[in-house]
Amino acid sequence: MVALLLFFTLNFTLFIPRYYFNKNNSSFFPISELIEQKSLNVKKIINRFNDDIFRFNFEFSSVVLVLILVKDFIPLTWAMVLIGLVYLLTCILFFYHYSILGIYKTYPCIASDWKLIKQGVQIALNGYRLQFIVGLVFLIVFLVGLCYANTLLINEIYVGNSFPLLLFCLIIVFVAFIFSVVKKTNPFVFKKEFDFNYLSFFAIQFSILLIQSNRFFCKKTKEELRSLPGIIANNTFTFSKNIPFKSKPNIYFIAIESYGAILHEDDYFKEKYNKLISDFNQNLQSKDWHITSSFSNSPVSGGGSWMAYSSFLMGIKITSDLLYRKLFHEREKYKTQSIFTILEELGYATTLIAAVGGYENFTIEWEETLSFLGTKNVIKFKDLDYTGEKFNFGPSAPDQYMLQKSRALIKEKYPNQPISFFVETINSHANFETPTHLFKNWEECNLANRNAFKPTTALEKNIKENYFLAIDYQLKTITDFVLSENEHSIFVIFGDHQPPLLTTTKNSFKSPIHIISKDKAFITDVKLERFNSTVEIHNNKQELGHEDFKFLFLDKFITYFQEKPTSSS
């Protein structure tokens, strides 16, 4: 029985990331799914939707089975090394696969993911060095513990009663074989996305399936790379550079971190969000600001903000980090055009606001980044002169301060030019550590103590509640920012992607987008195409993607604000 318990523990450990990244939508014990109307549903033991840890790995079970049968011919030390190595590699594969899938809700592709992992380590070393070291020590201890558990298992197989384990492994292999025959599935051949979707609910998971899916999506990503010339060819927005304008309003592009359609899709949020967005609408309209809204399909979910906002600004659907890096590092070969490129040519002073704190020692390719996004100016954290309490990713300044200070700096620098900036907010980043209190004067942020901000608490426990509080703070910050604008301006507010930890595969890739202006006729013109008449978001008249916005907005903007020729009598 000891061998059986060790075998169970080692198998269940493989699925910890699967449960952890879906724990808000799954039960640790799948009792409700297994027991229906006071009777056990045997089918759900074999195949269930709940992302729990109580599953088994086919390959590890098979290797253990073979070892039990041939143990008399293999030395104990060799067996420990062999089984330990098989398990360690399996553990790395499962933790990698389910972490990427759990966070980003996209299938892993090692051709792209290894650079993400490498950059993540660099960020951790520069911004979270202590946490990284503690985590690394914990990981080493954890892996040593797993290796020790493996040695105990092998020792039990050799010196103890291994018959119960032999029987259980035979059952696993037999059930896996029968399931594959009956369902006509082959985990060794991955031909389409549905193959993985279907087999991922099976209680017996195949390592080869994870490997094959990775190969499949790497191949798919590389096919996207081969299609780049055609994508770039359709990326250019053409217009006359000598267009006279009747006016040139300031244009602010603000991506709200993790502002996703889950607020509309999940019953936990829906009623509260409808009230929040209604208040947002009324507060703006009471000061003669007009608004139109829609949903936009993000190319990513749960993370990868740089792919989301680059798609939005560039008019290209960037679905993988590999594609992003290709465009970023080979700019001469793949010449792209962003919204900033057009606005610069129209006489705007454009600026990227990249005010994340904590990265003073991190090497950032600023020249390349600005060139890629089509601007020459950047505001960094140090430019904010912020010395107050910091929050969330970085950690960084409160978004209320960051937005107001950035605008003041840009207007001071360009007093006689129309301005435009792009910024991604920070405080609604997972783990949703955010202020919830707005100050009447944003400059008070520099002096207030932490309690005055009323920050979210119990970050690991109250994830849903804290996420909503983070979005509440974001929309109130945006309202404050819009109402304090004293010039003719347009605000484009959009969610970069759905939030991590909360979103499941049942959720869409959609995020809200709002366009705000005091020019009612312009808002009316925009809402006629794929936008709704008010801030309350319903189903789109047509699907809108982040990559569609550049063309839609620029066409409406230039057409509306250009000087119309006067007819002569």
Side-chain angles (χ1 to χ4, degrees):
M1 287 301 292
V2 174
L4 202 58
L5 289 173
L6 286 167
F7 177 78
F8 280 15
T9 301
L10 288 168
N11 270 279
F12 296 164
T13 299
L14 297 173
F15 299 93
I16 288 175
R18 177 170 181 163
Y19 169 71
Y20 178 78
F21 291 112
N22 294 282
K23 63 183 178 180
N24 291 292
N25 305 288
S26 296
S27 302
F28 184 80
F29 295 106
I31 304 298
S32 59
E33 197 168 355
L34 294 176
I35 299 177
E36 296 178 350
Q37 297 179 344
K38 298 182 179 180
S39 62
L40 181 65
N41 187 331
V42 179
K43 291 182 179 179
K44 292 296 178 69
I45 296 176
I46 306 299
N47 202 36
R48 59 184 179 274
F49 292 107
N50 193 68
D51 289 304
D52 53 82
I53 66 171
F54 304 107
R55 300 168 190 271
F56 298 90
N57 175 242
F58 176 80
E59 285 82 358
F60 182 62
S61 303
S62 300
V63 171
V64 170
L65 173 62
V66 171
L67 177 64
I68 294 172
L69 294 174
V70 301
K71 64 181 179 179
D72 294 336
F73 307 98
I74 301 177
L76 176 62
T77 305
W78 287 21
M80 286 182 174
V81 172
L82 175 64
I83 299 298
L85 186 61
V86 168
Y87 182 81
L88 188 61
L89 292 174
T90 303
C91 189
I92 292 170
L93 173 65
F94 272 65
F95 272 53
Y96 153 66
H97 181 93
Y98 283 115
S99 294
I100 295 293
L101 183 62
I103 295 170
Y104 297 109
K105 296 298 177 286
T106 187
Y107 294 104
C109 163
I110 193 63
S112 176
D113 297 335
W114 77 269
K115 292 183 179 178
L116 271 179
I117 295 168
K118 180 181 175 182
Q119 189 172 57
V121 171
Q122 290 176 329
I123 291 173
L125 283 172
N126 282 275
Y128 301 89
R129 185 180 295 272
L130 178 60
Q131 296 94 319
F132 178 78
I133 293 172
V134 171
L136 188 61
V137 171
F138 175 80
L139 177 62
I140 292 170
V141 172
F142 179 69
L143 291 176
V144 169
L146 290 178
C147 291
Y148 180 66
N150 266 283
T151 61
L152 292 177
L153 172 65
I154 306 308
N155 193 63
E156 281 295 322
I157 290 173
Y158 272 72
V159 302
N161 179 14
S162 59
F163 181 75
L165 181 57
L166 170 68
L167 185 61
F168 195 83
C169 288
L170 279 170
I171 292 171
I172 289 176
V173 173
F174 177 74
V175 169
F177 175 75
I178 295 299
F179 182 85
S180 298
V181 171
V182 172
K183 299 298 183 180
K184 298 179 180 179
T185 60
N186 184 356
F188 296 89
V189 179
F190 192 99
K191 293 182 178 179
K192 55 184 182 298
E193 197 169 312
F194 178 76
D195 293 337
F196 183 80
N197 285 336
Y198 186 73
L199 285 169
S200 65
F201 300 117
F202 187 32
I204 301 168
Q205 293 286 289
F206 298 85
S207 298
I208 190 65
L209 179 68
L210 272 57
I211 294 169
Q212 291 286 60
S213 73
N214 204 294
R215 290 182 60 192
F216 176 86
F217 287 105
C218 282
K219 182 181 178 182
K220 188 176 179 182
T221 300
K222 289 174 182 177
E223 287 173 355
E224 289 180 354
L225 292 181
R226 285 194 289 270
S227 66
L228 259 183
I231 295 173
I232 298 300
N234 298 319
N235 173 250
T236 304
F237 179 85
T238 56
F239 68 103
S240 172
K241 298 180 182 179
N242 299 318
I243 300 173
F245 276 70
K246 59 185 178 184
S247 64
K248 291 182 179 178
N250 296 330
I251 308 173
Y252 304 105
F253 300 99
I254 304 173
I256 297 181
E257 171 66 45
S258 299
Y259 182 33
I262 191 172
L263 293 156
H264 187 76
E265 296 166 346
D266 191 308
D267 289 339
Y268 178 88
F269 298 114
K270 191 169 184 178
E271 186 176 341
K272 293 192 292 185
Y273 176 64
N274 285 342
K275 172 67 167 59
L276 177 63
I277 211 71
S278 178
D279 291 343
F280 180 59
N281 182 33
Q282 290 175 14
N283 289 332
L284 292 172
Q285 287 189 338
S286 67
K287 300 296 182 181
D288 298 321
W289 288 91
H290 305 280
I291 185 168
T292 184
S293 304
S294 185
F295 280 126
S296 177
N297 281 306
S298 175
V300 293
S301 180
S305 300
W306 59 97
M307 292 177 270
Y309 66 68
S310 294
S311 296
F312 196 87
L313 296 174
M314 313 292 285
I316 302 172
K317 188 174 183 179
I318 304 173
T319 55
S320 71
D321 186 62
L322 194 64
L323 181 57
Y324 172 85
R325 290 175 187 275
K326 193 79 171 175
L327 291 169
F328 183 90
H329 290 295
E330 299 185 28
R331 297 184 304 282
E332 290 302 315
K333 183 177 180 181
Y334 302 109
K335 293 187 181 296
T336 56
Q337 176 200 62
S338 78
I339 288 179
F340 276 172
T341 309
I342 304 297
L343 293 178
E344 282 278 345
E345 293 181 2
L346 292 175
Y348 276 78
T350 64
T351 304
L352 168 67
I353 300 173
V356 178
Y359 294 95
E360 290 78 9
N361 299 320
F362 189 70
T363 302
I364 297 175
E365 300 170 299
W366 286 115
E367 186 177 338
E368 292 82 356
T369 300
L370 297 178
S371 171
F372 180 63
L373 294 177
T375 184
K376 300 180 182 66
N377 306 299
V378 61
I379 289 179
K380 307 172 189 176
F381 177 77
K382 67 177 182 180
D383 299 319
L384 300 179
D385 294 325
Y386 185 73
T387 57
E389 293 289 337
K390 302 180 184 70
F391 300 88
N392 205 299
F393 196 61
S396 305
D399 285 329
Q400 179 189 17
Y401 181 95
M402 181 270 292
L403 286 171
Q404 296 282 5
K405 180 68 174 183
S406 297
R407 180 172 59 186
L409 288 172
I410 296 170
K411 285 190 174 184
E412 182 181 0
K413 186 176 181 180
Y414 301 104
N416 302 315
Q417 266 185 278
I419 63 171
S420 178
F421 71 56
F422 165 74
V423 63
E424 169 119 30
T425 63
I426 305 166
N427 299 154
S428 53
H429 194 284
N431 55 358
F432 313 123
E433 182 199 20
T434 179
T436 62
H437 173 73
L438 257 69
F439 294 92
K440 289 184 178 179
N441 181 350
W442 58 270
E443 292 178 300
E444 292 178 42
C445 293
N446 241 336
L447 304 173
N449 63 41
R450 196 168 190 84
N451 289 335
F453 289 94
K454 299 180 181 178
T456 48
T457 57
L459 301 178
E460 289 295 323
K461 184 179 179 181
N462 300 331
I463 296 177
K464 277 194 169 184
E465 180 184 345
N466 287 339
Y467 171 65
F468 185 79
L469 289 173
I471 297 302
D472 178 83
Y473 174 77
Q474 291 295 316
L475 291 181
K476 287 177 179 175
T477 296
I478 295 297
T479 302
D480 175 66
F481 185 65
V482 172
L483 296 183
S484 61
E485 175 69 356
N486 56 13
E487 296 182 44
H488 181 23
S489 301
I490 297 170
F491 298 84
V492 178
I493 317 297
F494 67 98
D496 56 353
H497 52 66
Q498 293 269 42
L501 305 177
L502 299 171
T503 311
T504 70
T505 52
K506 296 177 184 177
N507 292 110
S508 70
F509 273 52
K510 293 179 180 179
S511 60
I513 174 172
H514 314 294
I515 300 179
I516 304 166
S517 173
K518 279 197 170 184
D519 194 320
K520 186 176 182 179
F522 173 68
I523 293 297
T524 301
D525 194 33
V526 171
K527 78 183 181 186
L528 294 176
E529 189 162 349
R530 305 195 222 180
F531 279 77
N532 298 307
S533 56
T534 65
V535 77
E536 285 82 5
I537 308 171
H538 306 293
N539 291 328
N540 293 358
K541 300 169 185 176
Q542 292 176 276
E543 283 291 308
L544 176 69
H546 277 22
E547 69 278 5
D548 298 321
F549 178 81
K550 182 183 90 170
F551 298 95
L552 187 152
F553 178 80
L554 288 174
D555 179 61
K556 294 293 182 184
F557 170 74
I558 291 175
T559 301
Y560 182 82
F561 285 102
Q562 68 181 355
E563 191 75 61
K564 304 296 188 298
T566 56
S567 57
S568 55
S569 54

